[in-house]
């Protein structure tokens, strides 16, 4: 167990729907990062939060949004889902030191859009 | 621009062979960090090593070793006497600005018994 908890592990939904993925970081970690892993795009950085504030944005679609709550857990919201959104979504956390000090990843949420 | 290149998409070896996974990176920063992660068939991403740009010493951990060469912008990973359990996708990654980590496309290693 890495200490980073992601729920649910699997999600199957229809096109056009909206889903929420949840991540609880490792105890003491203030930063949360979201990544999308698809077959054709590899591991793509989506967004980073640090202590409740958005810190950096990557290739995140406008249909996607995220937030980090006061208890430091984070949610990634995906709306108007398309078939191409099917992927493995990872959450990672790091200490105050940030990405330079490495991530601890959760086990991922596998999203299937049908 | 591509930051991290793993030119080998797939490698297949027979158990006990040595195998080297290549990683080439590009950055304009003088301070940066390089990483390797392993993704076994179960899907999780497992941290293997972190190296900063000022430390070019090679590192060995059991059957794993890493060769960092700034002159060629490479950070290669060698598995000695490979085992079936080493079968996984291996990712090389780069962090420059402390805000995110950029990953290579990954190399799928298959070790056959």
């Amino acid at each position: 167990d890495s200490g980073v908890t992601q729920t649910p592990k699997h999600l199957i939904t229809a096109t056009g729907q909206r889903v929420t993925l949840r991540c609880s970081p490792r105890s003491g970690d203030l930063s949360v990062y979201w990544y999308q892993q698809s077959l054709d795009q590899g591991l793509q950085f989506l967004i980073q939060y640090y202590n409740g504030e958005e810190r950096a944005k990557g290739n995140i679609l406008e249909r996607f949004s995220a937030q980090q709550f006061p208890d430091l857990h984070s949610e990634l919201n995906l709306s108007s889902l398309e078939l191409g959104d099917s992927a493995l979504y990872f959450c990672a956390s790091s200490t105050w030191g940030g990405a330079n000090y490495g991530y601890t990843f959760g086990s991922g949420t596998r999203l299937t859009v049908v | 621009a591509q930051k991290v290149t793993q030119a080998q998409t797939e490698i297949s070896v027979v158990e006990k062979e040595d195998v080297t996974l290549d990683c080439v990176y590009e950055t304009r920063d003088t301070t940066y960090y390089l990483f390797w992660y392993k993704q076994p068939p179960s899907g999780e991403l497992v941290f293997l090593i972190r190296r900063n740009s000022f430390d070019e010493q090679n590192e060995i951990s059991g059957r794993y070793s890493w060769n960092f060469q700034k002159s060629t912008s490479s950070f290669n990973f060698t598995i000695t006497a490979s085992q079936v359990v080493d079968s996984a996708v291996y990712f090389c990654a780069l962090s420059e600005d402390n805000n995110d980590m950029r990953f290579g496309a990954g190399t799928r290693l298959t070790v056959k018994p």
Side-chain angles (χ1 to χ4, degrees):
Chain A
D1 181 6
S2 68
V4 178
T5 304
Q6 286 189 250
T7 56
K9 290 196 183 307
H10 302 277
L11 200 48
I12 301 176
T13 190
T15 54
Q17 295 298 304
R18 182 178 190 275
V19 297
T20 297
L21 311 184
R22 183 188 167 103
C23 169
S24 293
R26 196 176 52 172
S27 178
D29 286 356
L30 301 178
S31 284
V32 169
Y33 307 79
W34 286 97
Y35 279 79
Q36 178 194 57
Q37 186 180 23
S38 57
L39 283 176
D40 56 346
Q41 294 289 327
L43 270 162
Q44 297 286 316
F45 169 66
L46 296 178
I47 198 164
Q48 180 209 359
Y49 279 83
Y50 176 81
N51 203 22
E53 300 287 328
E54 182 184 303
R55 175 69 68 89
K57 250 182 178 178
N59 300 318
I60 188 166
L61 299 173
E62 284 192 15
R63 300 184 286 108
F64 296 1
S65 64
Q67 54 185 324
Q68 186 179 28
F69 295 87
D71 67 353
L72 300 178
H73 91 270
S74 178
E75 294 181 354
L76 179 68
N77 301 296
L78 315 176
S79 61
S80 303
L81 285 167
E82 302 175 358
L83 295 178
D85 297 326
S86 295
L88 194 50
Y89 290 85
F90 283 104
C91 166
S93 72
S94 69
T95 65
W96 60 268
N100 287 352
Y101 290 82
Y103 295 160
T104 299
F105 280 92
S107 55
T109 293
R110 185 170 295 281
L111 173 66
T112 303
V113 182
V114 297
Chain B
Q2 183 96 11
K3 295 281 192 177
V4 181
T5 302
Q6 295 180 256
Q8 304 149 308
T9 307
E10 294 191 33
I11 300 176
S12 181
V13 299
V14 176
E15 206 169 21
K16 296 184 184 174
E17 283 185 28
D18 298 348
V19 57
T20 296
L21 310 182
D22 297 333
C23 173
V24 173
Y25 62 91
E26 64 177 83
T27 177
R28 295 178 184 172
D29 290 355
T30 55
T31 303
Y32 52 91
Y33 296 81
L34 295 162
F35 303 83
W36 277 93
Y37 281 83
K38 173 182 180 179
Q39 187 175 38
S42 51
E44 73 272 23
L45 284 159
V46 179
F47 167 83
L48 295 178
I49 190 172
R50 166 181 175 265
R51 172 68 72 209
N52 74 57
S53 53
F54 298 107
D55 183 1
E56 284 195 75
Q57 262 193 323
N58 289 333
E59 180 153 342
I60 298 174
S61 175
R63 296 183 297 106
Y64 294 173
S65 63
W66 291 269
N67 183 357
F68 176 33
Q69 290 195 335
K70 286 176 76 170
S71 60
T72 56
S73 296
S74 65
F75 186 42
N76 296 338
F77 172 31
T78 297
I79 302 174
T80 303
S82 60
Q83 299 176 1
V84 172
V85 292
D86 295 327
S87 297
V89 181
Y90 291 86
F91 292 94
C92 180
L94 167 71
S95 177
E96 302 163 289
D97 59 10
N98 214 26
N99 286 331
D100 69 271
M101 198 182 294
R102 302 299 175 100
F103 287 81
T107 296
R108 181 178 299 278
L109 174 65
T110 302
V111 182
K112 299 178 181 177

